[in-house]
Structures are given as C-alpha cells and as structure tokens.
Amino acid sequence: MTLYNIALIGFGGVNRALAELIATKNPLWERDLGFRLNIVAVSDLYLGSVISPNGLDAKTLVEANFAKGGFGQLSGGSAEADNETIIKTAPADIIVEATFTNPKDGEPAVSHCRWALQSGKHVVTTNKGPVAIAAQELKALAKANGVHFEYEGSVMSGTPVIRMAEKTLAGAEVKGFEGILNGTSNFVLGRMEGGLDFATAVKEAQILGYAEADPTADVEGFDVRLKVVILANELLGASLKPEEVTCTGISKLSPSDIENAKAANNRWKLIGSAVRNEDGTVTGSVSPKQLPFEHPLAGVNGATNAVSLNTELLGSVTITGPGAGRIETAYALLSDIVAIHKAQTAAATKEAA
Ligand SMILES: NC(=O)c1ccc[n+]([C@@H]2O[C@H](COP(=O)([O-])OP(=O)(O)OC[C@H]3O[C@@H](n4cnc5c(N)ncnc54)[C@H](O)[C@@H]3O)[C@@H](O)[C@H]2O)c1
Ligand SMILES: N[C@@H](CCO)C(=O)O
C-alpha cells in the first residue's frame, strides 16, 4: 500500500469535496486502488494556511466551520494563505491546485504549478487557466523534474475526455470536435427554456456549485474558450491561445430568442468547437447555436456536458457525462492520482525487473 501526502491549494467546493471523499473512502481506495491519501497541508485565500507533517484529519477539516483566517487557530497554521511556502516546503508528494480559474493569464495558479513541479512534486489540477495558457511549459517542467502534471478535470469535470481520447482512442485520428463544455450555461439555458429569468438561473447554478467564482466566465463563453484551447492543443496538436478562439456567450439571448427557437423545434446550446483545416492549421470557436431537437447535442440537459469527436477511422464518437459539480470534479482529481499511481507502480516494477 502506498501513502500519498497531498497539499490542497484552494479549499473551496472541489478541494473540500476531495477532503470529504478522503474522510470516507481511504479504506476502499487502499483495497481497490492500492493507495491512501493523507492531507499534510492546506492553503486558501480566505481561510489561511496550515502544515501538519503527520496529516490533518479530513473529517475535521470538512466539518469545522472555519471563519476568515480560521486556519490560524490550528497548530502549524497561519491566517494568511502562504501558497509559496506551503507548495515548496510542505512534505507533500502531490499538490492539488483548485483555486479560481483566471481566464486572462492563468495566474496565480500557473505559478503554483511551476513552484510545485520545480520542487519535484506532482501536480493535479481542475484549474483551466494553467492548462490552457501554460500547458507546454508545465509539461516540460514536469518531465524535467520526473513528476506528473495531470488535469483531466479541466475540460469535463469528472467525465473522462482527455485520457479517453489520448489513450483509448489512440490512432483513431481526431480531426475536430464540437460540444457542450460548460455546465452552468447549459443549465441556465434549460432553466430559461422552463420560464426562469437569466439572473435567477445563474444564482441556482452558483448554489449548486457549477459556476465559476465570477460567473461571467460561464455565461460569456470564456470558460468554454479555455476548454476549446485545452482540447485543441491536446487532441489536434494545435498551439492555440485563448485570444485566437472567437467567443460569444449566452448573455445576450433573450427570453423571446429562447421561445422563438422552441416554436421552431430548436434549442439554443453554447457550442465550443475546433477543426483541423486542410492546410494543417486549427480554428476554434465558441458561440450559441440553435440545434434542432433531434440533434444529438440538443438533448444534453442541465450541467451535463457532451463532446463529439470527429475521427478519421471511427467517424463521430460522443462522450457525455457530468460537466460540473463539486464531488464530480473531485473525482477528476482522484482519477489523476490514480493515473500517477499506475505510472509510478509500472516504473517501479520495471526498475525491479
Ligand atoms: N466546481 C466545478 O464544477 C468545477 C468543475 C471543473 C473545474 N473547476 C475548477 O476548479 C477550481 C476550483 O473550483 P471550485 O468550484 O472549488 O471553486 P471555489 O470558488 O468554490 O473555490 C476556490 C477556492 O480557492 C480559494 N482561492 C482562490 N484564489 C486563491 C489563491 N490565490 N490562493 C489560495 N486559495 C485561493 C478561494 O478562497 C476558494 O475557497 C476552479 O479553477 C474551477 O474553475 C470547477
Ligand atoms: N463553471 C464550470 C465548471 C466546470 O469547468 C462549468 O459550469 O462548466
């Protein structure tokens, strides 16, 4: 059995959900996956930071209702979020980065990942900023330091799309993709179709833990734009930057636009897509589209996401599943840790042979 010490950077919905899973599922993971997780540090902008080399009790962390700066009351704690010290000095094998996504330059999460990889620590993250903006640099840094940079949750929450496409569909030759890649906007469109107003629908998505800290990113398409960049760069070998992807969100759609679409047996969906052109360049876009009810993506409702990959050898392959949610996204982090564990175990077995 392997014990992985982990440090949580950001203690909001997703990392709190991971702590919740750790509190109950370690025995199951030990039996079925061959490892346990031990939280040795946490740092959060609001709560402060704490290092405990022997491990913090996950249940207490989740259940204690800490006030602002509350980690300062804990042994080894401070009321300030000293991310750099935590990342560089906590005795962690894996840094779990789940702070706010910054769609402009990915900071400070890019620096968090950089510090971790430079310190020889694996990084797992659901933060789209570092992946869309600095994946090449961070992957190279991971390789140079013999550690992993994993980010399955950065596109469709816990629904596997990156590894599915890269591993299970290897050789199928992905030529392009289109999909619903934002749970909040899809949820909001569905609620508006049911007669709810835009602002109330966005509030509901926030309460359910789907929305970004600033939901503008969801409804203006900036979140989908990052995901289009991540998928295009991973699956189509592109090197797109977010500003190269055209982007229109759903905020300008009025109740009458929604009603008119419905009357024509259509439904609005926010579609993110990318295609490899004949000259080898890749073009990406984000925009609301009216799809006929019978279109495969028209029936994808709520915070569910779906992406259809257009492949040379298999035609269209659609992956669908939860695209947002606290526990669902914490699962993505677990799946990244499973991937690291499998790779480490395989490397150790090879070395021993
Ligand atoms: N919630 C989802 O469904 C979902 C799905 C996929 C990806 N993500 C991504 O995962 C990340 C976390 O999502 P969440 O729902 O937990 O967000 P959240 O807003 O609930 O939590 C973010 C936490 O990070 C903390 N934080 C922000 N900046 C920080 C900094 N510089 N240093 C330390 N702490 C900082 C905040 O105080 C907050 O507690 C985001 O990047 C989000 O885009 C979320
Ligand atoms: N806010 C995002 C979270 C998942 O990346 C969404 O609603 O899809």
Side-chain angles (χ1 to χ4, degrees), residues 128 153-155 157 181-185 210-212 218 223 227 305 323-324:
K128 292 144 269 190
S154 64
V155 176
S157 176
L181 296 169
N182 182 268
T184 300
S185 55
Y210 304 151
E212 295 302 300
D218 297 294
D223 178 75
K227 291 164 176 171
N305 281 187

Side-chain angles (χ1 to χ4, degrees), residues 310-324:
N310 177 20
T311 74
E312 178 69 25
L313 302 188
L314 280 175
S316 176
V317 177
T318 299
I319 300 165
T320 185

Side-chain angles (χ1 to χ4, degrees), residues 9-15 43-47 81 83 97-101 108 112 126-128 153-154 157 209-213 223 227 323-326 329:
I9 309 303
F11 197 58
V14 172
N15 264 348
S43 188
D44 184 272
L45 198 56
Y46 180 78
L47 300 168
N83 296 336
E97 216 292 345
T99 65
F100 301 146
T101 287
H112 297 162
T126 55
N127 192 321
K128 292 144 269 190
S154 64
S157 176
Y210 304 151
E212 295 302 300
D223 178 75
K227 291 164 176 171
R326 300 178 180 108
T329 311

Side-chain angles (χ1 to χ4, degrees), residues 81-95:
D82 190 355
N83 296 336
E84 187 167 358
T85 304
I86 295 278
I87 291 169
K88 290 183 175 172
T89 68
D93 307 298
I94 303 172
I95 301 295

